[in-house]
Amino acid sequence: MRETPRPQGTAGDAGPELPQRRPGRAFAHTAGASGSGTPHRSDGRSPQTPRGVRQTGPTGRPGTTPPVPGRPALFLSLALSLLALFGLTAWQVAAGGPLRALDERADRAVVGHGPARLTEFLADLGNMQVALPVLGCAIIWALVRGARREPLHAALIMGAVPLLIVPLKALIARPGPLTDATGYFPSGHAATAAVAYGAAALLVAPYARRSWSWVMPVAAVLLTTATGIGLVLRGYHWPLDVLGSWFLCGAVLLPLGLSRRSRRRSSSRTPRC
């Protein structure tokens, strides 16, 4: 048999030759146009992998893949945004800014409206006697299903609510809508409802059927919103009292949401026997 002669290199060659195309075979990647070093598909289509967006290195070869922002960074930016909104709200309330004036005008326009029994019932959703049993049942359910870290996080977050709210009430000392007594910003009832119902939804949702997993977060948002509406209509709190609690408690709940997401991703990667 006669062997195919191989090309011989010379002393003046700058480097090895590029591979030659053979009939009947396709290359997965070839050099980009004009020797840019950017790989592309042999069929002319643009690459669909991160390799296609790599920057060339000093030697002309593809460099590292650009970094992709992860979930922790997204959660951190969202938490900082919520804390910034809370800081803005607290500053306006404490300094008597234009937002406080608008808040008080809006409250006087709506306070006392709506059926008294219904609005009182909605406001009572923020009572600890109502909200804490809901969270307790969710914690027990998560413990029975094998979770350990998330129930502990939920209990600690709920315990941190009075430690955050009470000093802020004393520091800002805002009078109530229908009384001269102070200590109404931020709303403790709104904070209790947001943390209790939000944490309960985060604990229970991972164990629900996929088609029903959205029900718990939606129910938590509806219960929290209904509580805030009841507090404002009954004259127990100004609207900014409620909004400030929502901003603060939303930032507090984000670590629990991140922990739940990481647990779900790790469990999905665990091989099942």
Side-chain angles (χ1 to χ4, degrees), residues 69-156:
R71 294 291 181 179
L74 177 63
F75 275 78
L76 179 60
S77 61
L78 183 57
L80 293 177
S81 300
L82 290 173
L83 290 176
L85 289 173
F86 172 77
L88 174 63
T89 306
W91 168 61
Q92 285 290 299
V93 170
L99 282 183
R100 175 168 174 169
L102 179 62
D103 176 53
E104 293 177 354
R105 287 198 302 268
D107 183 84
R108 295 189 180 98
V110 300
V111 67
H113 287 67
R117 290 186 178 181
L118 176 60
T119 53
E120 185 71 25
F121 170 78
L122 296 180
D124 287 343
L125 292 175
N127 289 340
M128 297 184 67
Q129 297 85 346
V130 179
L132 287 187
V134 174
L135 178 59
C137 292
I139 289 176
I140 294 174
W141 174 257
L143 288 172
V144 170
R145 297 304 299 267
R148 293 295 180 267
R149 185 174 58 185
E150 290 78 6
L152 177 61
H153 285 181
L156 292 176

Side-chain angles (χ1 to χ4, degrees), residues 103-104 106-108 110 174 177 228 232 237-244:
D103 176 53
E104 293 177 354
D107 183 84
R108 295 189 180 98
V110 300
R174 186 184 193 185
V232 172
H237 280 286
W238 306 98
L240 283 183
D241 300 346
V242 175
L243 285 177

Side-chain angles (χ1 to χ4, degrees), residues 144-171:
V144 170
R145 297 304 299 267
R148 293 295 180 267
R149 185 174 58 185
E150 290 78 6
L152 177 61
H153 285 181
L156 292 176
I157 291 171
M158 192 71 248
V161 168
L163 299 178
L164 293 173
I165 299 298
V166 173
L168 289 170
K169 284 177 173 288
L171 178 64

